[in-house]
Amino acid sequence: AQSVAQPEDQVNVAEGNPLTVKCTYSVSGNPYLFWYVQYPNRGLQFLLKYITGDNLVKGSYGFEAEFNKSQTSFHLKKPSALVSDSALYFCAVRDDNFNKFYFGSGTKLNVKP
Amino acid sequence: NAGVTQTPKFQVLKTGQSMTLQCAQDMNHEYMSWYRQDPGMGLRLIHYSVGAGITDQGEVPNGYNVSRSTTEDFPLRLLSAAPSQTSVYFCASSYRPNRAINSPLHFGNGTRLTVT
């Protein structure tokens, strides 16, 4: 069965500093991995997805994700955090049959001025 | 292009009442799904559909029914509301993999349901 884990409930970072939101995955076949962001009272917005062969994937709003097969990780990163990046972030994996997405429990990112 | 539209945005029900949460998408997505979001539990899949006339259960299907008579619409029915169904409900859609592999989900803005 597919699953993702987000080990941190909350990440705090100062504006201008780099940020990392962690995600580890467990899949039985090829990993179809995604990151989403959720702002208050809104639905989830797609940020980026893993593309086979690319260890660094670039996405929306300056975010990128680093894929590491040996560590089964897909960490979300940004070189310089903005206060407006404060939101809830979800990692997700799509299963081998492609009919289900499994989401992590979410990480709340707080960026302080 | 409206994307995924959910109605209503808010709803309060009494225990035992029934209601239908509406979801419509205009992206010609074959795959549609319903999730509930509860604090500390992430998103849990309730039901999903891979095309008109085809539905299947997710992780937490009890107490909910779905149907898919058209590609665009995927309503979620609560048969007899219970306080445990108080949650935020999200509808999401995507292309099927044989059309666009690795297609991400597109989400509506949610329905906040309270059952008293």
Side-chain angles (χ1 to χ4, degrees):
Chain A
Q2 322 290 62
S3 66
V4 291
Q6 295 180 243
E8 301 156 318
D9 290 336
Q10 187 165 301
V11 169
N12 298 312
V13 65
E15 187 174 32
N17 283 0
L19 69 88
T20 298
V21 182
K22 295 180 181 177
C23 173
T24 59
Y25 66 89
S26 173
V27 300
S28 53
N30 291 323
Y32 293 97
L33 297 159
F34 303 83
W35 274 103
Y36 291 84
V37 60
Q38 184 181 32
Y39 297 102
N41 302 314
R42 300 296 301 274
L44 279 69
Q45 296 177 32
F46 168 68
L47 271 181
L48 52 80
K49 64 183 178 185
Y50 171 62
I51 299 170
T52 305
D54 289 352
N55 289 340
L56 189 65
V57 179
K58 293 194 185 297
S60 306
Y61 312 121
F63 283 93
E64 54 193 26
E66 188 173 30
F67 175 77
N68 188 314
K69 187 173 182 178
S70 62
Q71 296 185 4
T72 61
S73 65
F74 189 56
H75 298 333
L76 182 70
K77 296 174 181 286
K78 189 173 183 182
S80 179
L82 299 173
V83 172
S84 57
D85 292 331
S86 298
L88 191 54
Y89 290 82
F90 289 96
C91 184
V93 63
R94 196 169 195 175
D95 74 3
D96 283 345
N97 293 324
F98 307 111
N99 287 334
K100 296 179 184 177
F101 284 78
Y102 296 93
F103 286 82
S105 55
T107 299
K108 186 177 181 184
L109 174 65
N110 294 316
V111 182
K112 299 195 185 303
Chain B
N1 196 350
V4 179
T5 302
Q6 289 184 240
T7 56
K9 288 188 169 63
F10 302 94
Q11 183 71 50
V12 179
L13 291 178
K14 293 188 188 314
T15 298
Q17 287 184 318
S18 62
M19 79 159 294
T20 298
L21 279 62
Q22 301 292 345
C23 176
Q25 53 90 11
D26 62 359
M27 297 172 283
N28 205 24
H29 286 165
E30 299 90 349
Y31 180 88
M32 296 187 75
S33 55
W34 278 101
Y35 288 85
R36 58 178 290 173
Q37 183 178 23
D38 302 291
M41 302 190 74
L43 280 82
R44 292 182 291 169
L45 180 64
I46 305 171
H47 286 286
Y48 65 95
S49 167
V50 298
I54 307 169
T55 64
D56 207 344
Q57 296 181 348
E59 300 173 74
V60 289
N62 292 341
Y64 307 96
N65 270 359
V66 291
S67 59
R68 184 94 180 270
S69 55
T70 66
T71 300
E72 294 78 21
D73 300 298
F74 191 45
L76 178 72
R77 296 183 188 84
L78 279 70
L79 308 173
S80 177
S84 61
Q85 292 179 305
T86 293
S87 186
V88 182
Y89 291 84
F90 288 100
C91 179
S93 69
S94 77
Y95 290 117
R96 286 200 72 182
N98 60 357
R99 184 171 170 186
I101 199 164
N102 224 10
S103 172
L105 281 173
H106 295 256
F107 282 81
N109 282 330
T111 295
R112 187 174 295 273
L113 175 68
T114 302
V115 183
T116 60

